[in-house]
Amino acid sequence: MSDLEKMWDDYPAGKPPVDAILAKAGAGSAGGSGSAGGAGSARRRLVTRPVLTAAAATALVGAFVTGTLVAGGDGPGGDGGPGSGDLPQRVAFQADLAPAKSCDDLLETYVERALPLVSAWGWGNGVYDRLHLTGDVFLRDLATAAQSEAADGTALKSSYRAPTPQTDRQVNSDTGTNVQEAAVDEPDTVKTNGELLLTVRDDELATYDVTGDSTEQLSSLALPGIADAEIVLSGDTVVAIGVDDTGADASGTRVLGISIADPAEPEITSDVQYDAALVSARQHGADLRLVLSSGLPDLDFVAPGDKVSPAKAQRDNRTLVEDSTIEDWLPTITAGTPDEAGTAAQLLDCTEVAIPSDDLFVGTTSVVGFDAGTTGTVDAIGLAGEIGIAYESADHLYLATDGGWGSTMWPRCIDWCDMGSPTLDHSPSGVSHVFDFELDGITATHVASGKVEGSIRDRWSIDEADGILRVAVGPTSETGNFNSVVTLERSGQRLVEHGRLDNLGVNEDIKSVRWFDDLAIVVTFRRIDPLYAIDLTDTATPRLLGKLKIPGFSSYLHPLGELRMVGVGEGPNPDGRGWGAQIALFNVRDVTNVRQMNVHHYPRGSEARAAVDPRAFTWLPDQRIILTVVERWTGGRRVGYVSEVKVREGKLLERLVQVEYGNDVDHVRAVPMPDGRVVVVTGEDAEFFEL
C-alpha cells in the first residue's frame, strides 16, 4: 500500500481530504485559507457538487481513479443532499480549461487581471455598472467602417440537387412555447400541459382550467421577492425564475419552486437566491440549467476630494482590490423554504472554477444544474470570465463570447469616456471564444474549447447538427467587412474550424439566422435585405446557393414545412411614407432561387414583437395559420394586437385583433392546445381565441 493510500485510509468517510493529501504530496494546498476565508465562514459552505478537478486529478494520478472519489459536504441550508456521501463524482473540466488549484490561486488570478481596471474613482471612470446581459439581449448597430458594397454573387446554378429546408427541431414545445430547439424548453410567462394553463403577471402565478368551452381561473398566488418572473413546467411542479428584487441593486436571480398538485391551491415549496445575474435558463425534462454572470465586486472604493488626490485615491483603491477575498469574487447561493430562511453559501468551490485566457473580461460565469423538484440541490461549476451567449442543444451547452463590440467585450464606460479615463476593457480581440460542455442530467462537463474569427451576434447565430457546430459571425478586426458562416468540429479536446463561407452581406449587419438540417438562411441588412441560402450538406465546404434582395429585413425566420418559410421584421410602407412591421412569405422549394411570394405590411410605426421575442410567434401547421403579436403607438399609447395570418395558395390573409395596452403588450401570447384550440393570454386574462 502506498503512502497516499495509507493516508486516505486514515481519514473518515465523507468529503475527500484533497487539501491535506495534496499538501502531504508536496503539491500545495488545494483549498487555501487566509485571504480565501476560513473554514467556519458561512459563505464557504459548499453545495452538493463534484469535488475533484482536473488539477487535483493530475496530482493524484497513480494513487486514485479519476472521478471515483466520494463526495460529502454540506448543502445549502442542510447537511448535504440525498446520498451525497456515497455518490461517485466526475471531473468537471476534461479539456484545455485548467481549474484553479486553490482559492489562493483563483484569487490571485482575479486580482491580477482586475488591477489594471482600477482608477481613482473605482472601476474604470467611476460610472461602472455590472451590465449583465440577460435574455440574450446585446448592444448592436455600432458604427462600422464605411466601405463600398462589393458585388457578392448572384444565384448560383448547378446540376446537383440542392438541400431542402427540412427540420423537425423548430416547433412549439410541449408546454406551448415557441423555442429554438424542440428538445430544449425555455422559460416563458405562459405554460400549459393541455389541461391547465399557467401564467405569471405582476409576479403572481395564476392557474386556469382549459378543458371546457371557456377558460376558468382556479387560483392566484403571489410570488414574493421576485421580479420579471418567467416559469417552466415539470409535472406537478412550476419553477419561477426571475430577478431577486430584495437586494440593493436587484442584480441577483431568484428561483421559486411551486407545487400545483392542487391547481386550486398552489404552494411555494422552495426559495433559492443567487447573487448573480441570469444569462440563460433552459429545461431538459425535469432537469433545469442556469447560466449566471457575476461582474466585478462592489468594493468600498474612495474618490478624489478636497483631502484626497486622484493619485492617492487610485493607490487606496488598488489596495482594496489587493486586499479583497475570494468571497468578494465568487457568487453565493441561499436555499430555503417559505417557512425557513436559508443561509448564504458559496456557490462554487474554488477548484471547480476554470481560468480561461485573458481575452475574457474579468468576472465569473456559473453553470448551475438542478432537478425541478429539488431546486436547492445543485451541481455548479464556473469560469473566471464573463460570458454573454449561451446556446443549448439536446445534449450540449455552448458558452460563447462575441469577439466584437457587442456584448461583454465592449469598453465599460457607461455615460462617457474621455481620453484620461480608463475603460473597463481592452479593445476587442476580433475572435469569439466557444466552450463546449456535454450535458448529463443536471451536470455539465467541459469537453472542448475553440475560437472563431468574427463576432457572434446571439444564441440564434449558433446551431449544432450531427456533432458539427455551425456559427454565423459578423465582421471584426480579424475579418474583412463581411459576414460568414463557419463550421467547427471536435478534434480531441479542441473545437477546430472545419469549413467557412465568407463575403456574405459586405458592409451589412446580420439581422437573423435560421438553421435547417443541411441548410442555413442568413439575413443581413444595411439598406436592403439580402437573404442568403447556404448549403451545409458538406460541412467542410459551405456553399452559397443563392440570394434574394428585397426592401426591409426579417428579424425572425420560421419554417412552414419544406416549401415555405415566413419572415417577420420591418420595411418601408408601399406608399413610401415611413416604415412599419411586415410579414413575408418565401418560396424555398428551390433554395438556389428563393422567391418572395407575398408580403403583408402593417401600419406605419408598427413593430412585430417576434422580431425581438420569438415567443410572441405561433405556427399552427394543421390550420396553416400564423399568430403573432404586433404593437403600435397610437393616440399617445402603446396598443397590442394579435395578427392572425392564414397561408393560402401563396397568399397571406391577415386579420388584426386588438387585445392589450401599455407594458402588458410584452406578455401577450397565443398558446396552442393539443385539441387545436388556441388561448390568447393578455395582461389581465386568458381566453380562447376564435380562429
Short mmCIF file of all heavy atoms in Angstrom, two decimals, residues 265-299:
data_model
loop_
_atom_site.label_atom_id
_atom_site.label_comp_id
_atom_site.label_asym_id
_atom_site.label_seq_id
_atom_site.Cartn_x
_atom_site.Cartn_y
_atom_site.Cartn_z
N GLU A 265 -54.98 25.43 -5.23
CA GLU A 265 -54.22 25.94 -4.11
C GLU A 265 -52.73 25.69 -4.33
O GLU A 265 -52.12 24.85 -3.64
CB GLU A 265 -54.68 25.30 -2.80
CG GLU A 265 -56.10 25.66 -2.41
CD GLU A 265 -56.48 25.13 -1.04
OE1 GLU A 265 -55.58 24.58 -0.36
OE2 GLU A 265 -57.64 25.25 -0.65
N PRO A 266 -52.12 26.36 -5.28
CA PRO A 266 -50.68 26.19 -5.49
C PRO A 266 -49.91 26.63 -4.26
O PRO A 266 -50.35 27.52 -3.52
CB PRO A 266 -50.39 27.08 -6.70
CG PRO A 266 -51.51 28.07 -6.73
CD PRO A 266 -52.70 27.37 -6.17
N GLU A 267 -48.74 26.02 -4.06
CA GLU A 267 -47.98 26.27 -2.84
C GLU A 267 -46.50 26.40 -3.16
O GLU A 267 -45.93 25.56 -3.85
CB GLU A 267 -48.20 25.11 -1.85
CG GLU A 267 -47.44 25.24 -0.56
CD GLU A 267 -47.61 24.02 0.33
OE1 GLU A 267 -48.22 23.03 -0.12
OE2 GLU A 267 -47.11 24.05 1.47
N ILE A 268 -45.88 27.46 -2.65
CA ILE A 268 -44.43 27.63 -2.80
C ILE A 268 -43.73 26.65 -1.87
O ILE A 268 -44.00 26.63 -0.66
CB ILE A 268 -44.01 29.07 -2.48
CG1 ILE A 268 -44.66 30.05 -3.47
CG2 ILE A 268 -42.49 29.22 -2.54
CD1 ILE A 268 -44.40 31.51 -3.15
N THR A 269 -42.84 25.85 -2.42
CA THR A 269 -42.16 24.82 -1.63
C THR A 269 -40.68 25.10 -1.44
O THR A 269 -40.06 24.53 -0.54
CB THR A 269 -42.32 23.45 -2.30
OG1 THR A 269 -41.82 23.51 -3.65
CG2 THR A 269 -43.79 23.04 -2.33
N SER A 270 -40.08 25.93 -2.26
CA SER A 270 -38.65 26.22 -2.12
C SER A 270 -38.36 27.62 -2.61
O SER A 270 -39.08 28.17 -3.45
CB SER A 270 -37.79 25.20 -2.88
OG SER A 270 -38.05 25.26 -4.27
N ASP A 271 -37.27 28.18 -2.09
CA ASP A 271 -36.88 29.55 -2.41
C ASP A 271 -35.36 29.60 -2.45
O ASP A 271 -34.70 29.41 -1.43
CB ASP A 271 -37.43 30.50 -1.35
CG ASP A 271 -37.14 31.97 -1.66
OD1 ASP A 271 -36.39 32.25 -2.61
OD2 ASP A 271 -37.66 32.84 -0.93
N VAL A 272 -34.81 29.82 -3.65
CA VAL A 272 -33.35 29.83 -3.83
C VAL A 272 -32.94 31.17 -4.42
O VAL A 272 -33.55 31.63 -5.39
CB VAL A 272 -32.89 28.67 -4.75
CG1 VAL A 272 -31.37 28.68 -4.90
CG2 VAL A 272 -33.36 27.33 -4.20
N GLN A 273 -31.90 31.76 -3.84
CA GLN A 273 -31.40 33.05 -4.32
C GLN A 273 -29.93 32.93 -4.70
O GLN A 273 -29.16 32.27 -4.01
CB GLN A 273 -31.55 34.11 -3.21
CG GLN A 273 -32.98 34.36 -2.77
CD GLN A 273 -33.03 34.95 -1.38
OE1 GLN A 273 -33.18 34.26 -0.39
NE2 GLN A 273 -32.90 36.27 -1.31
N TYR A 274 -29.58 33.58 -5.80
CA TYR A 274 -28.20 33.68 -6.25
C TYR A 274 -27.84 35.16 -6.35
O TYR A 274 -28.63 35.95 -6.88
CB TYR A 274 -28.01 33.05 -7.63
CG TYR A 274 -28.40 31.59 -7.72
CD1 TYR A 274 -29.71 31.23 -8.05
CD2 TYR A 274 -27.47 30.57 -7.52
CE1 TYR A 274 -30.09 29.90 -8.16
CE2 TYR A 274 -27.84 29.24 -7.63
CZ TYR A 274 -29.15 28.90 -7.95
OH TYR A 274 -29.51 27.58 -8.07
N ASP A 275 -26.65 35.54 -5.88
CA ASP A 275 -26.24 36.94 -6.07
C ASP A 275 -25.46 37.07 -7.37
O ASP A 275 -24.35 37.58 -7.43
CB ASP A 275 -25.45 37.47 -4.87
CG ASP A 275 -24.12 36.77 -4.67
OD1 ASP A 275 -23.91 35.70 -5.26
OD2 ASP A 275 -23.28 37.31 -3.93
N ALA A 276 -26.07 36.58 -8.44
CA ALA A 276 -25.52 36.66 -9.79
C ALA A 276 -26.68 36.82 -10.75
O ALA A 276 -27.81 36.38 -10.47
CB ALA A 276 -24.70 35.41 -10.13
N ALA A 277 -26.43 37.45 -11.89
CA ALA A 277 -27.50 37.75 -12.85
C ALA A 277 -27.70 36.59 -13.81
O ALA A 277 -26.78 35.84 -14.13
CB ALA A 277 -27.17 39.01 -13.63
N LEU A 278 -28.92 36.46 -14.29
CA LEU A 278 -29.28 35.37 -15.19
C LEU A 278 -28.90 35.70 -16.63
O LEU A 278 -29.28 36.74 -17.16
CB LEU A 278 -30.79 35.11 -15.10
CG LEU A 278 -31.33 33.96 -15.95
CD1 LEU A 278 -30.83 32.63 -15.42
CD2 LEU A 278 -32.86 33.99 -15.94
N VAL A 279 -28.15 34.80 -17.25
CA VAL A 279 -27.84 34.90 -18.68
C VAL A 279 -28.77 34.00 -19.47
O VAL A 279 -29.27 34.37 -20.53
CB VAL A 279 -26.37 34.52 -18.95
CG1 VAL A 279 -26.08 34.45 -20.45
CG2 VAL A 279 -25.43 35.52 -18.29
N SER A 280 -29.00 32.79 -18.96
CA SER A 280 -29.78 31.81 -19.70
C SER A 280 -30.41 30.82 -18.74
O SER A 280 -29.84 30.50 -17.69
CB SER A 280 -28.88 31.06 -20.70
OG SER A 280 -29.54 29.97 -21.30
N ALA A 281 -31.62 30.32 -19.08
CA ALA A 281 -32.27 29.24 -18.34
C ALA A 281 -32.90 28.30 -19.37
O ALA A 281 -33.61 28.75 -20.26
CB ALA A 281 -33.33 29.78 -17.39
N ARG A 282 -32.63 27.00 -19.22
CA ARG A 282 -33.16 26.02 -20.16
C ARG A 282 -33.61 24.78 -19.40
O ARG A 282 -33.14 24.49 -18.30
CB ARG A 282 -32.11 25.63 -21.21
CG ARG A 282 -31.69 26.78 -22.12
CD ARG A 282 -32.80 27.21 -23.05
NE ARG A 282 -32.40 28.32 -23.91
CZ ARG A 282 -32.61 29.60 -23.64
NH1 ARG A 282 -33.22 29.94 -22.51
NH2 ARG A 282 -32.23 30.54 -24.48
N GLN A 283 -34.53 24.03 -20.02
CA GLN A 283 -35.12 22.86 -19.39
C GLN A 283 -35.00 21.66 -20.31
O GLN A 283 -35.33 21.71 -21.49
CB GLN A 283 -36.59 23.13 -19.06
CG GLN A 283 -37.32 21.95 -18.43
CD GLN A 283 -38.80 22.22 -18.23
OE1 GLN A 283 -39.32 23.22 -18.72
NE2 GLN A 283 -39.49 21.34 -17.52
N HIS A 284 -34.52 20.54 -19.73
CA HIS A 284 -34.47 19.24 -20.41
C HIS A 284 -35.27 18.26 -19.55
O HIS A 284 -34.73 17.72 -18.58
CB HIS A 284 -33.04 18.74 -20.57
CG HIS A 284 -32.15 19.64 -21.36
ND1 HIS A 284 -31.71 19.33 -22.64
CD2 HIS A 284 -31.61 20.85 -21.07
CE1 HIS A 284 -30.93 20.30 -23.08
NE2 HIS A 284 -30.86 21.23 -22.15
N GLY A 285 -36.54 18.06 -19.84
CA GLY A 285 -37.35 17.20 -19.00
C GLY A 285 -37.50 17.81 -17.62
O GLY A 285 -37.93 18.95 -17.46
N ALA A 286 -37.09 17.05 -16.58
CA ALA A 286 -37.16 17.56 -15.21
C ALA A 286 -35.91 18.32 -14.82
O ALA A 286 -35.85 18.89 -13.73
CB ALA A 286 -37.38 16.39 -14.24
N ASP A 287 -34.90 18.32 -15.70
CA ASP A 287 -33.63 18.96 -15.38
C ASP A 287 -33.61 20.40 -15.89
O ASP A 287 -33.98 20.67 -17.03
CB ASP A 287 -32.46 18.20 -16.02
CG ASP A 287 -32.41 16.75 -15.56
OD1 ASP A 287 -32.69 16.51 -14.37
OD2 ASP A 287 -32.09 15.87 -16.39
N LEU A 288 -33.17 21.31 -15.01
CA LEU A 288 -33.05 22.72 -15.39
C LEU A 288 -31.60 23.15 -15.30
O LEU A 288 -30.82 22.61 -14.49
CB LEU A 288 -33.89 23.61 -14.47
CG LEU A 288 -35.38 23.73 -14.82
CD1 LEU A 288 -36.14 22.50 -14.35
CD2 LEU A 288 -35.98 24.96 -14.19
N ARG A 289 -31.24 24.11 -16.13
CA ARG A 289 -29.86 24.61 -16.12
C ARG A 289 -29.87 26.12 -16.25
O ARG A 289 -30.53 26.69 -17.13
CB ARG A 289 -29.06 23.99 -17.27
CG ARG A 289 -27.59 24.38 -17.28
CD ARG A 289 -26.81 23.44 -18.18
NE ARG A 289 -26.77 22.10 -17.61
CZ ARG A 289 -27.58 21.10 -17.96
NH1 ARG A 289 -28.48 21.29 -18.91
NH2 ARG A 289 -27.49 19.93 -17.40
N LEU A 290 -29.15 26.79 -15.34
CA LEU A 290 -28.99 28.23 -15.37
C LEU A 290 -27.55 28.56 -15.74
O LEU A 290 -26.62 27.87 -15.32
CB LEU A 290 -29.29 28.85 -14.00
CG LEU A 290 -30.61 28.50 -13.32
CD1 LEU A 290 -30.71 29.23 -11.99
CD2 LEU A 290 -31.80 28.82 -14.20
N VAL A 291 -27.38 29.60 -16.50
CA VAL A 291 -26.07 30.22 -16.70
C VAL A 291 -26.15 31.59 -16.05
O VAL A 291 -27.03 32.40 -16.38
CB VAL A 291 -25.70 30.34 -18.18
CG1 VAL A 291 -24.35 31.04 -18.34
CG2 VAL A 291 -25.64 28.95 -18.83
N LEU A 292 -25.27 31.83 -15.08
CA LEU A 292 -25.30 33.06 -14.29
C LEU A 292 -24.01 33.84 -14.50
O LEU A 292 -22.95 33.26 -14.75
CB LEU A 292 -25.45 32.74 -12.80
CG LEU A 292 -26.66 31.88 -12.41
CD1 LEU A 292 -26.58 31.49 -10.95
CD2 LEU A 292 -27.95 32.63 -12.69
N SER A 293 -24.11 35.16 -14.37
CA SER A 293 -22.95 36.03 -14.57
C SER A 293 -22.76 36.94 -13.36
O SER A 293 -23.69 37.61 -12.93
CB SER A 293 -23.13 36.88 -15.83
OG SER A 293 -22.05 37.77 -16.00
N SER A 294 -21.54 36.93 -12.82
CA SER A 294 -21.17 37.83 -11.72
C SER A 294 -20.10 38.78 -12.23
O SER A 294 -19.07 38.35 -12.74
CB SER A 294 -20.62 37.04 -10.53
OG SER A 294 -21.50 36.02 -10.14
N GLY A 295 -20.33 40.06 -12.07
CA GLY A 295 -19.38 41.05 -12.55
C GLY A 295 -18.31 41.35 -11.52
O GLY A 295 -18.05 40.58 -10.59
N LEU A 296 -17.68 42.49 -11.66
CA LEU A 296 -16.67 42.92 -10.70
C LEU A 296 -17.31 43.19 -9.35
O LEU A 296 -18.44 43.67 -9.27
CB LEU A 296 -15.98 44.19 -11.22
CG LEU A 296 -15.19 44.02 -12.52
CD1 LEU A 296 -14.81 45.38 -13.09
CD2 LEU A 296 -13.94 43.19 -12.29
N PRO A 297 -16.62 42.89 -8.25
CA PRO A 297 -17.22 43.04 -6.92
C PRO A 297 -17.45 44.50 -6.56
O PRO A 297 -16.76 45.40 -7.03
CB PRO A 297 -16.20 42.38 -6.00
CG PRO A 297 -14.90 42.48 -6.72
CD PRO A 297 -15.24 42.35 -8.18
N ASP A 298 -18.42 44.71 -5.68
CA ASP A 298 -18.75 46.04 -5.20
C ASP A 298 -17.91 46.32 -3.95
O ASP A 298 -18.27 45.94 -2.84
CB ASP A 298 -20.24 46.11 -4.88
CG ASP A 298 -20.69 47.50 -4.48
OD1 ASP A 298 -19.90 48.45 -4.68
OD2 ASP A 298 -21.82 47.64 -3.97
N LEU A 299 -16.77 46.97 -4.13
CA LEU A 299 -15.87 47.27 -3.03
C LEU A 299 -16.08 48.70 -2.54
O LEU A 299 -16.67 49.53 -3.24
CB LEU A 299 -14.41 47.06 -3.48
CG LEU A 299 -14.07 45.67 -4.01
CD1 LEU A 299 -12.63 45.62 -4.51
CD2 LEU A 299 -14.31 44.60 -2.95
#
